[in-house]
Amino acid sequence: MKFYIIGEREIVLAFKLTGIDGTAAETRAEVLDAFNRVTGKGGIVNVPSGEIPRVLILTEQAASQIEDEEIAWQKTGKFPLIVEVPGLNGHLKGKKTLSDAIKEAVGVEV
């Protein structure tokens, strides 16, 4: 498994149509539980193929609910790499787009 998504039901269903498995989660408890299962932090890894994905996709809404846990995981340098995508309502206020981040880091507009 290369990718896995955690987020709102509609987004997870859309990704499933492309062959990417995931977990629909709305509340902080659901998001954190799914995050811990996928990363193996919560005990047994609970992903379909039994392997930790290389990339974990979180919707911005889901990521905002577990921000501290996400940052702590990223500092470990372990897989999966975490990528945030906008939800159904677009970017959350205060979140940078990928283009904005690249422009800020490199100084080149994409």
Side-chain angles (χ1 to χ4, degrees):
M1 174 183 307
K2 295 184 183 210
F3 300 96
Y4 196 86
I5 183 162
I6 299 172
E8 298 86 80
R9 183 177 62 86
E10 295 84 359
I11 300 292
V12 172
L13 288 174
F15 273 84
K16 283 187 178 185
L17 290 173
T18 66
I20 297 173
D21 202 9
T23 299
E26 300 285 335
T27 67
R28 174 178 160 66
E30 292 172 342
V31 173
L32 186 57
D33 179 57
F35 178 79
N36 287 339
R37 284 185 287 115
V38 170
T39 60
K41 281 184 61 179
I44 300 171
V45 177
N46 188 15
V47 291
S49 66
E51 63 182 56
I52 293 177
R54 304 300 276 174
V55 178
L56 173 59
I57 303 165
L58 295 174
T59 62
E60 289 179 350
Q61 181 66 30
S64 69
Q65 296 181 51
I66 60 164
E67 197 168 303
D68 292 336
E69 292 85 354
E70 178 186 356
I71 291 169
W73 178 261
Q74 289 174 328
K75 287 181 179 179
T76 67
K78 298 179 184 175
F79 285 106
L81 169 70
I82 299 174
V83 176
E84 293 182 20
V85 296
L88 291 174
N89 299 322
H91 284 286
L92 294 179
K93 287 186 179 183
K95 289 279 189 178
K96 293 180 188 175
T97 65
L98 180 58
S99 296
D100 292 339
I102 291 171
K103 183 178 179 182
E104 184 178 303
V106 182
V108 177
E109 190 166 337
V110 180

